[in-house]
Amino acid sequence: MSNTSAQTHGGHRFAHHFENADHEFISVKFGVWLFLVTEVMMFGGLFVAYGIFRTLYADGFHQAHLMLNREMGALNTVILICSSLSMALGVHFAQKNQKGKSANMLLLTILCAFGFLVVKYFEYSHKFHDGLLPMRHFTNAHLAGADHAGLFYSLYFIMTGLHGFHVIVGIGLITWVLLRTVRGDFDAHYYTPVEMVGLYWHFVDLVWIYLFPLLYLVG
């Protein structure tokens, strides 16, 4: 959606180095997509490493992944899918100049994100208790004979931990646009920050959509 009329109708003043509001919108969107490409490369490297080690140590990785809590993983998948929907609605209502509905959807997205982290906390706590830890810290008696089970959990904690960090960053960003929404900074002519944060959040959700089957289901 064009932001061309933002300066005259929405009160948004674009930065001096842009030709107009539309130029600013396109440039910001391109920058966000470029940033997401670097994120894809980072997570992609981890996915490739996981694929290589899983091929080399298939039996040990298979036994190790059976110890993951599929129910909690599935619950977090549902939570993030719901958060992606609420985020999309938040952007939609911002585009329609419906500030109240947009703020409600952004708040719901934040609550879903916190819900994801709470579930992850309980899942991590259980693994710590059972000794399902990375490499030399791995002490689980049930998998004592599994080949490189500690390596599996090293990759598990790196990948899910990095994703969790992105969820925390997302909470901060969505809170920022929520406060600005309540303040009335956005309208039908200017909603660029809401849409850009939405793109980031959809990426975070998409990463988990790949992590869940890769770690929890593929055996």
Side-chain angles (χ1 to χ4, degrees):
M1 181 174 180
S2 175
N3 284 318
T4 305
S5 58
Q7 186 182 25
T8 57
H9 295 290
H12 170 61
R13 300 296 176 179
F14 52 83
H16 66 88
H17 51 276
F18 295 109
E19 296 177 2
N20 49 48
D22 201 35
H23 180 214
E24 180 187 56
F25 174 75
I26 294 173
S27 299
V28 170
K29 194 168 187 177
F30 176 78
V32 171
W33 277 112
L34 188 62
F35 165 72
L36 293 181
V37 167
T38 65
E39 292 284 285
V40 169
M41 293 173 65
M42 177 176 63
F43 277 102
L46 291 173
F47 286 137
V48 170
Y50 179 86
I52 292 174
F53 286 121
R54 189 180 185 88
T55 301
L56 292 175
Y57 312 116
D59 183 62
F61 270 49
H62 170 72
Q63 294 182 52
H65 106 282
L66 294 176
M67 299 293 290
L68 296 179
N69 192 314
R70 295 186 180 184
E71 290 74 19
M72 284 190 174
L75 176 59
N76 264 344
T77 302
V78 173
I79 290 174
L80 284 188
I81 290 174
C82 290
S83 76
S84 195
L85 174 60
S86 60
M87 187 71 230
L89 289 173
V91 175
H92 171 75
F93 288 129
Q95 294 172 340
K96 298 297 182 181
N97 203 22
Q98 295 177 300
K99 181 179 74 173
K101 291 183 178 180
S102 179
N104 288 337
M105 290 298 102
L106 293 173
L107 178 59
L108 179 58
T109 305
I110 293 172
L111 293 176
C112 286
F114 274 113
F116 175 90
L117 292 178
V118 168
V119 173
K120 209 66 193 167
Y121 166 79
F122 285 110
E123 189 178 1
Y124 274 8
S125 297
H126 179 72
K127 288 178 177 57
F128 295 157
H129 179 268
D130 288 347
L132 298 171
L133 299 170
M135 300 304 288
R136 63 186 180 88
H137 302 289
F138 186 87
T139 58
N140 184 270
H142 296 290
L143 293 175
D147 187 27
H148 292 89
L151 177 58
F152 172 88
Y153 282 98
S154 294
L155 291 168
Y156 168 83
F157 281 111
I158 291 173
M159 296 168 80
T160 60
L162 184 60
H163 176 264
F165 172 76
H166 281 72
V167 171
I168 294 172
V169 172
I171 290 174
L173 292 173
I174 299 170
T175 300
W176 171 64
V177 295
L178 171 61
L179 294 176
R180 292 191 62 186
T181 298
V182 172
R183 193 171 64 187
D185 290 353
F186 309 123
D187 55 31
H189 303 291
Y190 176 66
Y191 49 82
T192 302
V194 185
E195 184 170 345
M196 298 307 106
V197 171
L199 284 176
Y200 171 84
W201 189 250
H202 293 318
F203 167 78
V204 172
D205 292 350
L206 185 61
V207 169
W208 181 258
I209 295 301
Y210 282 96
L211 284 176
F212 174 61
L214 185 68
L215 295 172
Y216 291 79
L217 302 181
V218 177

